[in-house]
Amino acid sequence: MASASHAPTPLLKDELDIVIPTIRNLDFLEMWRPFFQPYHLIIVQDGDPSKIIRVPEGFDYELYNRNDINRMLGPKASCISFKDSACRCFGYMVSKKKYIYTIDDDCFVAKDPLGKDINALEQHIKNLLSPSTPFFFNTLYDPYRVGADFVRGYPFSLREGVPTAVSHGLWLNIPDYDAPTQLVKPLERNTRYVDAILTIPKGTLFPMCGMNLAFDRELIGPAMYFGLMGDGQPIGRYDDMWAGWCTKVITDHLGLGVKTGLPYIWHSKASNPFVNLKKEYNGIFWQEELIPFFQSVSLPKEATTVQKCYLELAKQVRAKLGKVDGYFNKLADSMVTWIEAWDELNPPKGGVPTANGPPKK
Ligand SMILES: O=c1ccn([C@@H]2O[C@H](COP(=O)(O)OP(=O)(O)O[C@H]3O[C@@H](CO)[C@H](O)[C@H]3O)[C@@H](O)[C@H]2O)c(=O)[nH]1
Ligand SMILES: [Mn+2]
């Protein structure tokens, strides 16, 4: 029987950082205060570093702008996107905690069908602390939730599940649609609260959205590179997608799990579909080649760490996607730079980080 926990969810306040990419004042934190106040925030300020970002009183945070990123990474800063939410992955790199939760600054607290404020972070922690079931689909959804279990015919040898690396939350109100869909359905709002959490089966890719996402940094952190997007790049709004595809082939290879579903946040505003179309158009075309590539990726058994998997992936990106567009050669280089920077800032236990340390607040 799956052991559903009735115990209160641990806060993990000293084991989890909240990463927020932003170009604006963070007044939205006021509504999250009851849930976020105990945690340390890592704010990644995008765009003009001379702009002052206002953070409500009473939050414990560190803030990095482009000057900090350049100072800390030197030439390796080239792998961190500018003028795109992809910059958030710098926050994953500088964190020292086991877990990361990342949220956009236009994502508000949603209400469940009973009208109760949803503590999205608590649900993500529950998702990450309970196993995943990627090898055999449980038709009653997450078997580890209170009131559920494995159904008849589910192999007992698989009921322990595997460690969960990623918890992918969803959004009420403005759904995460691509620009063409947004253009033809400008008034569509997601009002459907589906009370389910699913493990994404092994061998299946998924469109990972970075708006409401949590992950175990120690299990999968180095794979969460949000790619080369925004300023000077031929693509945008595929940052989280790229990270999700790389992450999923690596979690499949390492026997880790990815969950999607609860919790919901309230996505408050739609970004401009015309601007989004300009950012996405290459991605919409290229992904018809990218998806077969990721579906065919095979990682060697010697690839036993996320870094080794990721460097092998970078090699295959260059070999097989370089002919799709020269951009993928640049991306493959940046994937390698990302791992080098990650390992510099996160030396094995006992090593000393070689970057120039966090900024003075
Ligand atoms: O140049 C920029 C623009 C925005 N940000 C910060 O990134 C997030 C998301 O911004 P926004 O809500 O405007 O974008 P959406 O179109 O709703 O969401 C996209 O962003 C990714 C998911 O996070 C994904 O590509 C789409 O879902 C906010 O916090 C902005 O402040 C930025 O840092 N730089
Ligand atoms: Mn948004």
Side-chain angles (χ1 to χ4, degrees), residues 21 46 83 85 88 104-106 176 237 239 267 269 271:
D46 194 16
K83 294 191 180 170
S85 61
R88 73 173 83 217
D104 289 2
D105 60 20
D106 64 343
D176 187 19
R237 289 172 55 85
D239 48 322
H267 188 205
K269 71 171 181 56
S271 41

Side-chain angles (χ1 to χ4, degrees), residues 18 20-33 36-37 39-45 51-64 105 361:
I18 298 174
I20 304 166
T22 194
I23 50 175
R24 52 181 69 97
N25 292 330
L26 295 178
D27 304 324
F28 91 117
L29 285 173
E30 212 44 73
M31 74 179 72
W32 286 102
R33 189 182 291 276
F36 287 3
Q37 182 131 35
Y39 296 90
H40 180 66
L41 310 180
I42 296 180
I43 300 163
V44 183
Q45 177 184 343
K51 180 182 159 90
I52 301 296
I53 297 288
R54 202 177 50 246
V55 181
E57 285 299 313
F59 284 96
D60 172 60
Y61 70 92
E62 55 198 282
L63 184 144
Y64 295 93
D105 60 20
K361 204 161 53 180

Side-chain angles (χ1 to χ4, degrees), residues 164-282:
T164 300
V166 178
S167 170
H168 177 261
L170 296 173
W171 346 270
L172 292 173
N173 193 39
I174 307 292
D176 187 19
Y177 285 165
D178 50 54
T181 308
Q182 231 186 319
L183 283 166
V184 296
K185 303 174 94 174
L187 303 180
E188 185 147 296
R189 297 293 178 267
N190 181 27
T191 59
R192 198 184 6 246
Y193 179 96
V194 176
D195 183 5
I197 302 149
L198 291 172
T199 292
I200 301 174
K202 177 173 180 171
T204 302
L205 297 169
F206 76 112
M208 185 175 82
C209 171
M211 263 192 257
N212 171 22
L213 179 72
F215 59 90
D216 185 319
R217 190 174 163 277
E218 290 178 359
L219 286 181
I220 199 64
M224 282 286 181
Y225 175 46
F226 274 41
L228 268 185
M229 304 282 150
D231 196 40
Q233 306 302 338
I235 186 171
R237 289 172 55 85
Y238 271 80
D239 48 322
D240 38 9
M241 299 300 145
W242 182 261
W245 296 331
C246 294
T247 289
K248 190 61 171 58
V249 295
I250 293 174
T251 51
D252 283 353
H253 175 74
L254 295 178
L256 301 170
V258 175
K259 289 177 183 173
T260 187
L262 298 183
Y264 284 90
I265 50 84
W266 178 268
H267 188 205
S268 65
K269 71 171 181 56
S271 41
N272 183 305
F274 297 100
V275 171
N276 289 348
L277 189 55
K278 275 192 228 152
K279 292 180 179 179
E280 290 172 14
Y281 78 93
N282 270 324

Side-chain angles (χ1 to χ4, degrees), residues 120-137:
L121 187 48
E122 182 185 50
Q123 184 60 53
H124 277 301
I125 292 172
K126 278 185 184 154
N127 293 351
L128 290 172
L129 294 184
S130 63
S132 294
T133 55
F135 304 125
F136 199 88
F137 188 77

Side-chain angles (χ1 to χ4, degrees), residues 2-7 126 142-149 195:
S3 53
S5 168
H6 291 266
K126 278 185 184 154
D142 183 347
Y144 301 102
R145 286 184 81 188
V146 173
D149 212 315
D195 183 5

Side-chain angles (χ1 to χ4, degrees), residues 259-326:
K259 289 177 183 173
T260 187
L262 298 183
Y264 284 90
I265 50 84
W266 178 268
H267 188 205
S268 65
K269 71 171 181 56
S271 41
N272 183 305
F274 297 100
V275 171
N276 289 348
L277 189 55
K278 275 192 228 152
K279 292 180 179 179
E280 290 172 14
Y281 78 93
N282 270 324
I284 293 172
F285 177 66
W286 287 341
Q287 76 179 24
E288 297 305 332
E289 311 242 4
L290 300 183
I291 299 309
F293 162 74
F294 280 103
Q295 286 168 332
S296 67
V297 163
S298 156
L299 295 170
K301 65 181 185 329
E302 298 74 27
T304 52
T305 67
V306 178
Q307 285 90 329
K308 286 179 186 168
C309 291
Y310 205 77
L311 292 173
E312 174 57 30
L313 205 44
K315 263 191 229 151
Q316 295 188 33
V317 165
R318 176 187 309 286
K320 298 181 181 169
L321 296 179
K323 53 180 171 288
V324 172
D325 189 279

